[in-house]
Coordinates of all heavy atoms in Angstrom, one line a residue:
L1 N 0.8 -1.2 0.0 CA 0.0 0.0 0.0 C 0.9 1.3 0.0 O 0.5 2.3 -0.6 CB -0.9 0.0 1.2 CG -2.2 -0.8 1.1 CD1 -2.9 -0.8 2.4 CD2 -3.1 -0.4 0.0
I2 N 2.0 1.2 0.7 CA 2.9 2.4 0.7 C 3.4 2.7 -0.7 O 3.3 3.8 -1.2 CB 4.1 2.1 1.6 CG1 3.6 2.0 3.0 CG2 5.1 3.3 1.5 CD1 4.7 1.6 4.0
V3 N 3.8 1.6 -1.5 CA 4.2 1.8 -2.8 C 3.1 2.3 -3.7 O 3.3 3.2 -4.5 CB 4.8 0.4 -3.4 CG1 5.2 0.6 -4.8 CG2 6.0 0.0 -2.5
A4 N 1.9 1.7 -3.6 CA 0.8 2.0 -4.4 C 0.3 3.4 -4.2 O 0.1 4.2 -5.1 CB -0.4 1.1 -4.1
L5 N 0.2 3.9 -2.9 CA -0.2 5.2 -2.6 C 0.8 6.3 -3.0 O 0.5 7.3 -3.5 CB -0.5 5.4 -1.2 CG -1.8 4.6 -0.7 CD1 -1.9 4.5 0.8 CD2 -3.0 5.4 -1.3
L6 N 2.1 5.9 -2.8 CA 3.2 6.9 -3.2 C 3.1 7.0 -4.8 O 3.2 8.1 -5.3 CB 4.5 6.3 -2.8 CG 5.7 7.2 -3.2 CD1 5.6 8.6 -2.5 CD2 7.0 6.5 -2.7
G7 N 2.9 5.9 -5.5 CA 2.7 6.0 -6.9 C 1.6 6.9 -7.3 O 1.6 7.6 -8.3
G8 N 0.4 6.7 -6.6 CA -0.8 7.5 -6.9 C -0.6 9.0 -6.6 O -1.0 9.8 -7.4
V9 N 0.1 9.3 -5.5 CA 0.4 10.7 -5.2 C 1.3 11.3 -6.3 O 1.0 12.5 -6.7 CB 1.0 10.8 -3.8 CG1 1.6 12.2 -3.6 CG2 0.0 10.5 -2.7
I10 N 2.3 10.6 -6.7 CA 3.2 11.1 -7.7 C 2.5 11.3 -9.0 O 2.7 12.3 -9.7 CB 4.5 10.2 -7.8 CG1 5.3 10.2 -6.6 CG2 5.3 10.6 -9.1 CD1 6.5 9.2 -6.6
A11 N 1.7 10.3 -9.3 CA 0.9 10.3 -10.6 C 0.0 11.6 -10.7 O 0.0 12.3 -11.7 CB 0.1 9.1 -10.8
I12 N -0.7 11.8 -9.6 CA -1.6 13.0 -9.7 C -0.9 14.3 -9.7 O -1.3 15.3 -10.3 CB -2.7 12.9 -8.6 CG1 -3.8 13.8 -8.9 CG2 -2.1 13.2 -7.2 CD1 -5.0 13.6 -8.0
A13 N 0.2 14.3 -8.9 CA 1.1 15.5 -8.9 C 1.7 15.9 -10.3 O 1.7 17.0 -10.7 CB 2.1 15.4 -7.8
V14 N 2.1 14.8 -11.0 CA 2.7 15.0 -12.3 C 1.7 15.4 -13.3 O 1.8 16.3 -14.1 CB 3.5 13.8 -12.7 CG1 4.0 13.9 -14.1 CG2 4.7 13.6 -11.8
I15 N 0.6 14.6 -13.4 CA -0.4 14.7 -14.4 C -1.1 16.0 -14.3 O -1.5 16.7 -15.3 CB -1.4 13.5 -14.4 CG1 -0.7 12.2 -14.7 CG2 -2.6 13.8 -15.4 CD1 -1.5 11.0 -14.6
N16 N -1.4 16.4 -13.0 CA -2.3 17.6 -12.8 C -1.5 18.8 -12.2 O -2.0 19.6 -11.5 CB -3.5 17.3 -11.9 CG -4.4 16.4 -12.6 OD1 -4.8 16.6 -13.7 ND2 -4.9 15.3 -11.9
F17 N -0.2 18.8 -12.4 CA 0.7 19.8 -11.8 C 0.2 21.2 -12.0 O 0.1 22.0 -11.1 CB 2.1 19.7 -12.3 CG 3.1 20.6 -11.7 CD1 3.5 20.4 -10.4 CD2 3.5 21.8 -12.3 CE1 4.4 21.3 -9.8 CE2 4.3 22.7 -11.7 CZ 4.8 22.5 -10.5
K18 N -0.2 21.5 -13.2 CA -0.6 22.9 -13.6 C -2.0 23.3 -13.0 O -2.4 24.4 -13.1 CB -0.6 23.1 -15.1 CG -1.6 22.3 -15.8 CD -1.6 22.6 -17.3 CE -2.6 21.7 -18.1 NZ -2.5 22.0 -19.6
H19 N -2.7 22.3 -12.5 CA -4.1 22.5 -12.0 C -4.1 22.7 -10.5 O -5.2 22.9 -9.9 CB -5.0 21.3 -12.4 CG -5.3 21.3 -13.8 ND1 -6.1 22.1 -14.5 CD2 -4.8 20.5 -14.8 CE1 -6.2 21.9 -15.8 NE2 -5.4 20.8 -16.0
F20 N -2.9 22.6 -9.8 CA -2.9 22.8 -8.4 C -3.3 24.2 -8.0 O -2.9 25.1 -8.7 CB -1.5 22.5 -7.8 CG -1.2 21.1 -7.4 CD1 -0.4 20.3 -8.1 CD2 -1.8 20.6 -6.2 CE1 -0.2 19.0 -7.8 CE2 -1.6 19.3 -5.9 CZ -0.7 18.5 -6.6
H21 N -4.1 24.3 -7.0 CA -4.6 25.7 -6.6 C -3.7 26.2 -5.4 O -3.1 27.2 -5.5 CB -6.1 25.6 -6.1 CG -6.6 26.8 -5.6 ND1 -6.5 28.1 -6.2 CD2 -7.3 27.1 -4.4 CE1 -7.1 29.0 -5.4 NE2 -7.6 28.4 -4.4
K22 N -3.7 25.4 -4.3 CA -2.9 25.8 -3.1 C -2.2 24.5 -2.6 O -2.7 23.9 -1.7 CB -3.8 26.4 -2.0 CG -4.4 27.8 -2.4 CD -5.2 28.3 -1.2 CE -5.7 29.7 -1.5 NZ -6.6 30.2 -0.4
P23 N -1.1 24.1 -3.3 CA -0.5 22.8 -2.9 C 0.0 22.8 -1.5 O -0.1 21.7 -0.8 CB 0.6 22.7 -3.9 CG 0.9 24.1 -4.4 CD -0.5 24.7 -4.4
Q24 N 0.6 23.9 -1.0 CA 1.1 23.9 0.4 C -0.1 23.7 1.4 O 0.0 23.0 2.4 CB 1.8 25.2 0.7 CG 3.1 25.3 -0.1 CD 4.1 24.2 0.3 OE1 4.1 23.8 1.5 NE2 4.9 23.8 -0.6
T25 N -1.2 24.4 1.1 CA -2.4 24.2 2.0 C -2.9 22.8 1.9 O -3.3 22.2 3.0 CB -3.5 25.2 1.5 OG1 -3.0 26.5 1.6 CG2 -4.7 25.1 2.4
A26 N -2.9 22.2 0.7 CA -3.4 20.8 0.6 C -2.5 19.9 1.4 O -3.0 19.0 2.1 CB -3.4 20.4 -0.9
I27 N -1.2 20.1 1.3 CA -0.3 19.2 2.1 C -0.5 19.4 3.6 O -0.5 18.4 4.3 CB 1.2 19.5 1.7 CG1 1.4 19.1 0.2 CG2 2.1 18.8 2.6 CD1 2.8 19.5 -0.3
H28 N -0.6 20.6 4.0 CA -0.9 20.9 5.5 C -2.1 20.2 5.9 O -2.2 19.5 7.0 CB -0.9 22.4 5.7 CG -1.3 22.8 7.1 ND1 -0.5 22.6 8.2 CD2 -2.5 23.3 7.6 CE1 -1.2 23.0 9.3 NE2 -2.4 23.4 8.9
E29 N -3.2 20.4 5.2 CA -4.5 19.8 5.6 C -4.4 18.3 5.5 O -5.1 17.6 6.4 CB -5.6 20.3 4.7 CG -5.9 21.8 4.9 CD -7.0 22.3 4.0 OE1 -7.4 21.5 3.1 OE2 -7.5 23.4 4.1
A30 N -3.7 17.7 4.6 CA -3.6 16.3 4.5 C -2.9 15.7 5.7 O -3.3 14.7 6.2 CB -2.9 15.9 3.2
T31 N -1.8 16.3 6.0 CA -1.0 15.8 7.2 C -1.7 15.9 8.5 O -1.8 15.0 9.3 CB 0.4 16.5 7.3 OG1 0.2 17.9 7.3 CG2 1.3 16.2 6.1
T32 N -2.4 17.0 8.7 CA -3.2 17.2 9.9 C -4.4 16.2 9.9 O -4.6 15.6 11.0 CB -3.8 18.7 9.9 OG1 -2.7 19.6 9.9 CG2 -4.6 18.9 11.2
G33 N -5.0 16.1 8.8 CA -6.2 15.1 8.7 C -5.7 13.7 9.0 O -6.4 12.9 9.7
A34 N -4.5 13.3 8.5 CA -4.0 12.0 8.7 C -3.7 11.7 10.2 O -4.0 10.6 10.7 CB -2.8 11.8 7.9
L35 N -3.1 12.7 10.8 CA -2.8 12.6 12.3 C -4.1 12.4 13.1 O -4.1 11.6 14.0 CB -2.0 13.8 12.7 CG -0.5 13.8 12.2 CD1 0.1 15.1 12.6 CD2 0.3 12.6 12.7
V36 N -5.1 13.2 12.8 CA -6.4 13.1 13.5 C -7.0 11.8 13.3 O -7.5 11.1 14.3 CB -7.3 14.3 13.1 CG1 -8.7 14.1 13.7 CG2 -6.7 15.6 13.6
A37 N -7.0 11.3 12.1 CA -7.7 10.1 11.7 C -7.0 8.9 12.4 O -7.6 8.0 13.0 CB -7.6 9.9 10.2
I38 N -5.6 8.8 12.3 CA -4.9 7.7 12.9 C -5.0 7.8 14.4 O -5.0 6.7 15.1 CB -3.5 7.6 12.3 CG1 -2.9 6.2 12.6 CG2 -2.6 8.6 13.0 CD1 -1.6 5.9 11.9
G39 N -5.0 9.0 15.0 CA -5.1 9.1 16.4 C -6.4 8.6 17.0 O -6.4 7.9 18.0
N40 N -7.5 9.0 16.3 CA -8.8 8.6 16.7 C -8.9 7.0 16.7 O -9.4 6.4 17.6 CB -9.9 9.1 15.8 CG -10.2 10.6 16.2 OD1 -10.1 11.0 17.3 ND2 -10.7 11.4 15.2
T41 N -8.4 6.5 15.6 CA -8.5 5.0 15.5 C -7.6 4.3 16.5 O -8.0 3.3 17.1 CB -8.1 4.6 14.0 OG1 -8.8 5.4 13.1 CG2 -8.3 3.1 13.8

């Protein structure tokens, strides 16, 4: 799953690079959301 998800993240970043709106905000929200989700579980 680590390999698969890393591949998916790289794929969407490369294919849709010019369509990013606020990439830094997206990364911040993603990391925060992941910590909350795994902490709750």
Side-chain angles (χ1 to χ4, degrees):
L1 280 175
I2 297 177
V3 176
L5 288 167
L6 182 60
V9 169
I10 293 173
I12 196 169
V14 171
I15 295 172
N16 291 313
F17 181 77
K18 65 179 181 180
H19 292 283
F20 271 107
H21 174 51
K22 293 181 178 179
Q24 290 298 327
T25 301
I27 292 173
H28 171 72
E29 292 179 351
T31 53
T32 303
L35 289 174
V36 172
I38 199 170
N40 279 333
T41 310

